[in-house]
Amino acid sequence: MMIRGVVDLEGQMKKPAEKPRERKCPACNGTGFPVVMKPVQPGRKIYPTACKRCGGKGRIPEAAN
């Protein structure tokens, strides 16, 4: 069994850094763009803006317990 890690300058093994846990943004359902209503006027286009809660990424960090 091989353990992966990083050796620091003193030759000591360090554990690899863990990625922060993330979950799907509930405001945009993980798309990065919030749901928009259909335009009132026919033929008018609505250009979506990035989700304000996740910044358009679609994922937000999980709360640390």
Side-chain angles (χ1 to χ4, degrees):
M1 183 170 130
M2 184 174 181
I3 300 174
R4 293 181 185 227
V6 178
V7 179
D8 65 5
L9 294 176
E10 290 85 34
Q12 301 291 324
M13 283 294 290
K14 290 181 154 183
K15 292 183 181 178
E18 289 186 26
K19 293 181 181 178
R21 294 184 170 241
E22 294 181 333
R23 63 184 173 99
K24 184 168 59 170
C25 177
C28 64
N29 202 23
T31 63
F33 300 97
V35 178
V36 293
M37 302 297 284
K38 291 186 178 184
V40 178
Q41 299 170 342
R44 185 175 174 138
K45 294 183 180 180
I46 295 179
Y47 296 98
T49 58
C51 177
K52 290 181 175 121
R53 189 165 184 185
C54 65
K57 295 178 184 176
R59 315 239 358 120
I60 56 174
E62 255 185 25
N65 290 334

